[in-house]
Amino acid sequence: MTIQELLENGATIVDVRTEAEFLGGNVANSINIPLNEVPERVSEFKAIEGPIVLCCLSGGRSGQATAFLQAQGVECYNGGGWMDVNYAVGQVS
């Protein structure tokens, strides 16, 4: 399934950048959980119903978070940079 299809099906978007980065611009209705907090907040990810699309500035940190969370049994996908995800959200009809 593509990121576009996941978003069309109501995936939750989680931005793993720092709070300051997130406040500087983000995808509407996304959740901010900084990468360094991901390990201690796995239960929050597991409580999210449906797939999760992770994003950051360029896709590096979201890739790390995706690999970690998938190893914990969380259904999630690396959406890459937040601006790319924001563009994809804008394409959802």
Side-chain angles (χ1 to χ4, degrees), residues 2-3 10 14 16 22-23 29-30 32-33 36 39 64 69 72:
T2 67
I3 297 301
V14 178
V16 298
F22 183 77
L23 293 174
N29 301 314
S30 62
N32 180 223
I33 300 179
N36 66 327
Q64 292 174 25
L69 290 167
Q72 306 302 311

Side-chain angles (χ1 to χ4, degrees), residues 1-67:
M1 197 175 269
T2 67
I3 297 301
Q4 182 75 36
E5 291 169 329
L6 291 165
L7 295 171
E8 287 172 356
N9 289 310
T12 299
I13 302 166
V14 178
D15 191 320
V16 298
R17 295 177 297 151
T18 65
E19 181 180 4
E21 288 175 295
F22 183 77
L23 293 174
N26 57 71
V27 180
N29 301 314
S30 62
I31 299 167
N32 180 223
I33 300 179
L35 178 62
N36 66 327
E37 296 179 16
V38 169
E40 64 199 42
R41 297 176 70 176
V42 171
S43 61
E44 289 179 53
F45 284 94
K46 289 186 174 185
I48 296 172
E49 295 198 17
I52 301 167
V53 172
L54 300 167
C55 64
C56 61
L57 182 61
S58 65
R61 287 176 281 181
S62 54
Q64 292 174 25
T66 298

Side-chain angles (χ1 to χ4, degrees), residues 65-79:
T66 298
F68 175 80
L69 290 167
Q70 286 176 342
Q72 306 302 311
V74 176
E75 181 186 1
C76 60
Y77 304 87
N78 184 4

